[in-house]
């Protein structure tokens, strides 16, 4: 994920701004990290460069 | 199997996504026409981007294109296509009914062959309302869904159905569809907060060109 995408993405639940926590990056991309909602605190993972901004109840680890 | 959920739809495409993406090589003519006739914009959105074949078309008119899909497998197929063909698209996983995009930012959007996978009327309207929310002033979008007018369907009114996807090994994976009739499709667009510029039917699909503002209530 390019860091400039932060201007466009928002928390899918309350549409508030997200804060970026970088775990691993290259010159132009965040490869691993988290997007954290500045309002509700929900965390959205960035894995292999792709942010997962699915609402919590639609994620893989959510109870069926 | 109980009622399908949006989560089920994501899981379906996580299973078939790799094969699905390979069979979807070309952009749809209606999408190419819509984008060709549009002015340049700062931000384009491909909602339900699949393998990003339409994101690649949007990239001709938008400084930046964001592609969103619920399925991780499908998003990864889009990334492979992006690397292979060398166009630019920012990809993320997201849900059409709860878009992770700032309001009033999108100048040009395509929401193609995706809304018919949302299993309830409420979810389909929510997704259209979300599209209205993210469209910038003056922004326009093309929405499409499979239509009862397609050769493979014999009914004339909207209905819910399951269409199997067959994987290369012969295994079939059921996919939920709401098949719209053109009148019901237009009704849903009008019920949402979008303003409808025009609707048309082409090659077994319902289409609507919509805007964010100018909605008459």
């Amino acid at each position: 994920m390019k860091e400039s995408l932060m201007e466009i993405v928002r928390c899918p639940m309350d549409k508030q701004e997200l804060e970026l926590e970088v775990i691993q990056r290259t010159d132009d991309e965040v490869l691993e990290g988290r997007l954290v909602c500045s309002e509700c605190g929900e965390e959205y993972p960035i894995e292999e460069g792709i942010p997962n901004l699915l609402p919590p109840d639609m994620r893989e680890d959510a109870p069926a | 199997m109980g009622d399908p959920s949006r989560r089920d739809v994501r899981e379906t495409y996580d299973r078939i996504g790799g094969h699905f993406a390979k069979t979807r090589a070309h952009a749809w003519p209606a999408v190419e026409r819509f984008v060709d006739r549009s002015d340049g914009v700062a931000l384009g959105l491909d909602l339900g981007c699949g393998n990003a074949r339409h994101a690649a078309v949007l990239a001709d008119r938008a400084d930046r294109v964001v592609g969103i899909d619920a399925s991780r497998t499908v998003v990864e197929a889009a990334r492979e296509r992006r690397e292979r063909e060398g166009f630019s698209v920012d990809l993320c996983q997201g849900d059409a009914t709860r878009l992770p995009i700032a309001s009033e930012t999108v100048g040009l959007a395509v929401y193609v062959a995706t809304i018919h996978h949302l299993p309830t009327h409420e979810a389909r309207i929510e997704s259209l309302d979300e599209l209205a929310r993210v469209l910038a002033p003056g922004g326009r979008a093309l929405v499409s869904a499979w239509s009862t007018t397609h050769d493979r369907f014999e009914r004339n009114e909207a209905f819910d159905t399951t269409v199997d996807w067959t994987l290369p090994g012969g295994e079939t994976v059921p996919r939920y569809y709401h098949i719209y009739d053109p009148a019901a499709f237009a009704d849903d667009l009008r019920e949402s907060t979008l303003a409808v510029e025009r609707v048309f039917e082409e090659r077994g699909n319902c289409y609507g060109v919509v805007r964010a503002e100018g909605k008459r209530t």
Side-chain angles (χ1 to χ4, degrees), chain B residues 1 4 39 56 73 168 204:
Chain B
M1 186 176 124
D39 296 330
T73 312

Side-chain angles (χ1 to χ4, degrees), chain A residues 1-2 6 12 30 36 43 50-51 59:
Chain A
M1 180 192 120
K2 288 183 194 139
M6 294 302 295
V30 179
V36 183
E43 294 184 8
I50 298 174
R59 281 187 217 147

Side-chain angles (χ1 to χ4, degrees), chain B residues 26-28 31-32 35 46 49 51-59 110 112:
Chain B
H26 302 291
W28 288 7
V31 174
E32 290 183 318
V35 173
D46 186 353
C49 66
N51 68 4
R53 58 182 161 160
H54 292 135
V57 177
L58 281 171
V110 296
V112 166

Side-chain angles (χ1 to χ4, degrees), chain A:
Chain A
M1 180 192 120
K2 288 183 194 139
E3 201 165 330
S4 58
L5 194 63
M6 294 302 295
E7 296 161 20
I8 298 161
V9 291
R10 295 290 181 271
C11 175
M13 307 307 287
D14 57 20
K15 318 304 181 192
Q16 299 302 309
E17 289 188 14
L18 297 160
E19 283 160 20
L20 175 63
E21 293 177 7
V22 177
I23 296 169
Q24 195 195 343
R25 63 173 308 149
T26 62
D27 286 347
D28 22 279
E29 261 203 281
V30 179
L31 295 179
E32 305 288 331
R34 269 189 298 273
L35 297 165
V36 183
C37 179
S38 57
E39 186 66 31
C40 70
E42 188 62 50
E43 294 184 8
Y44 303 92
I46 304 166
E47 292 165 350
E48 295 174 49
I50 298 174
N52 181 350
L53 284 157
L54 285 172
D57 63 347
M58 275 188 69
R59 281 187 217 147
E60 221 128 300
D61 53 7

